[in-house]
Amino acid sequence: MMKQHGPPPSGFHPASAMDFLPLAQLRDLQLKRMQAIVSRAYEHVTLFRQRMKERDLTPASVQTLDDVRLLPFTEKNDLRATYPFGLFASPMTEIVRLHASSGTTGKPIVVAYTQEDLDAWTNAMLRALAACGLHKGDIVQNAYGYGLFTGGLGAHYGAEALGATVIPISGGNTDRQIMVMKDFGVTAICCTPSYFLHLIERAGELGVNMKNLPLRAGILGAEPWTEAMRQRIEAESAIKAYDIYGLSEIVGPGVAMECPHQSGPHIFEDLFYPEVVDPKTGAPAPDEAEGELVLTTLAKRAMPMIRYRTHDITAVTSETCACGRTLRRIKRISRRSDDMLIIRGINLYPSQIEAALLAVEGTLPHYQIIVDREKGLDTLEVQVEVTAEFFSDTVGAMEGLQAKLVHSIETVTGLRPQVRLVAPRTLQRSEGKAKRVQDKRKL
Ligand SMILES: [Zn+2]
């Protein structure tokens, strides 16, 4: 079976009509929904009402969309402090589903949905999948984890609503994933970018060349990744890799999604109101400038989130996209304000290392960053896998590659690292979100 190249079939799903709402109508709808959600949170969520009162605000204070800036932020800590149900605006009798985050420390955060919320989420995910050209007849391998994590069920119901065939395989069991992909004629896959890389690699070992499969689209998200990573993925698999964005606190996957132009995810603005703020001060960032993404849910009943601080660093652009959607776009999220490492006083994001490594030929997109402290001084080690050819090559070639990598990282980050080249398949693979950093200073 040969892969079909060229643009995806031009089916238009009626649900996508909301993506093309005339701007004036969209802003009007956003304001009405924002006023309603603020009223709802004020009436039903104690923490929100208290904070509004402290600021002498009432729901009537929101007269324009910009008035959102008057409202208090909601932080992840607020969800922890009110664990498990303290931010719910609906009685438990109306809540039909709970999800929870995979908290690495302490209690998870819990999110809730009424039936209406689930329908709205399904609709957002349907629009997300339709936006990148999926349609009835597609066979979707859903390798996001099913369970408390929102990824699996979110993508699942969206794909079913689209009329696609869903394979609810969940994460893990890589050899079986590859068998299913090949035998079932899978045309699209949902998973993290790092797991997809792992699938490409394992498929190669099993003698399966993804370039010859009908697979044409990856709906990749749930972890920060870089444009360099996308290019590697597309080159090695001949699929189109689309960036999907979402987070459980807001709804799950389906907050924003790329169209075939792959120029950054469009935010489903009728459901989620975006702002960008300075991560330190919380002040609004100028248009198109980078900062922390803050989201307000415009239609969620069980758990309205007002000005939720995502810690994701991006910029919002209102530049028109060639697809004609009126929805604004966010820039690819390659870093979070809380994944920043400070090494010898210099700020470092793992994505900078990723970009620096992938710029050099001979490396594989598998790497680990190890930070430690020796005699009071921070140390930075980067372990990177190199291709089999390079690894078996002469010592001279290895040393040359090592020097190039040190230089590339130093140019991008201003830090001179120790680079250790390791054989292919040495570093641990992740079946969900990749863990790139070991910070031993915290141990
Ligand atoms: Zn577009």
Side-chain angles (χ1 to χ4, degrees), residues 210-264:
M210 272 198 200
K211 292 183 179 172
N212 297 331
L213 299 181
L215 187 71
R216 66 164 207 279
I219 292 86
L220 309 184
E223 67 185 11
W225 54 314
T226 57
E227 188 57 32
M229 183 68 96
R230 160 146 65 196
Q231 284 165 11
R232 278 288 172 104
I233 286 174
E234 294 193 340
E236 286 177 23
S237 64
I239 68 160
K240 286 279 182 193
Y242 298 102
D243 192 7
I244 187 164
Y245 175 73
L247 62 168
S248 299
E249 298 91 316
I250 295 302
V251 74
V255 173
M257 177 65 188
E258 279 187 327
C259 70
H261 297 278
Q262 292 179 301
S263 52

Side-chain angles (χ1 to χ4, degrees), residues 369-407:
I369 299 166
I370 297 153
V371 186
D372 209 342
R373 185 168 284 154
E374 275 171 33
K375 296 176 188 158
L377 209 62
D378 295 333
T379 61
L380 170 66
E381 179 180 305
V382 179
Q383 299 180 349
V384 58
E385 289 186 12
V386 296
T387 59
E389 303 122 50
F390 255 103
F391 203 74
S392 58
D393 226 322
T394 60
V395 175
M398 291 273 280
E399 281 173 355
L401 177 59
Q402 199 165 21
K404 266 192 211 162
L405 290 171
V406 170
H407 178 72

Side-chain angles (χ1 to χ4, degrees), residues 191-366:
C191 62
T192 58
S194 58
Y195 190 56
F196 188 68
L197 272 171
H198 181 41
L199 286 170
I200 298 175
E201 183 179 60
R202 184 65 189 143
E205 289 169 359
L206 296 172
V208 176
N209 184 351
M210 272 198 200
K211 292 183 179 172
N212 297 331
L213 299 181
L215 187 71
R216 66 164 207 279
I219 292 86
L220 309 184
E223 67 185 11
W225 54 314
T226 57
E227 188 57 32
M229 183 68 96
R230 160 146 65 196
Q231 284 165 11
R232 278 288 172 104
I233 286 174
E234 294 193 340
E236 286 177 23
S237 64
I239 68 160
K240 286 279 182 193
Y242 298 102
D243 192 7
I244 187 164
Y245 175 73
L247 62 168
S248 299
E249 298 91 316
I250 295 302
V251 74
V255 173
M257 177 65 188
E258 279 187 327
C259 70
H261 297 278
Q262 292 179 301
S263 52
H266 288 277
I267 306 166
F268 296 111
E269 283 194 83
D270 49 309
L271 301 172
F272 313 105
Y273 186 79
E275 296 170 80
V276 174
V277 304
D278 180 318
K280 285 205 188 82
T281 63
D287 271 353
E288 317 277 328
E290 251 192 15
E292 178 181 343
L293 182 65
V294 170
L295 290 166
T296 296
T297 59
L298 295 178
K300 221 157 124 223
R301 296 185 59 79
M303 202 167 159
M305 277 287 129
I306 313 283
R307 302 195 85 200
Y308 184 71
R309 296 195 61 159
T310 65
H311 291 287
D312 290 319
I313 303 293
T314 187
V316 172
T317 177
S318 9
E319 220 176 88
T320 40
C321 180
C323 73
R325 281 179 172 74
T326 44
L327 307 171
R328 285 178 286 178
R329 283 169 291 145
I330 47 175
K331 229 177 84 179
R332 153 186 306 287
I333 287 164
S334 58
R335 58 197 176 98
R336 292 175 48 79
S337 61
D338 54 3
D339 71 5
M340 187 181 80
L341 294 159
I342 301 176
I343 297 168
R344 291 173 230 153
I346 294 176
N347 298 348
L348 174 80
Y349 290 96
S351 60
Q352 294 176 294
I353 300 274
E354 181 173 302
L357 292 177
L358 293 186
V360 177
E361 206 183 326
T363 57
L364 293 169
H366 299 288

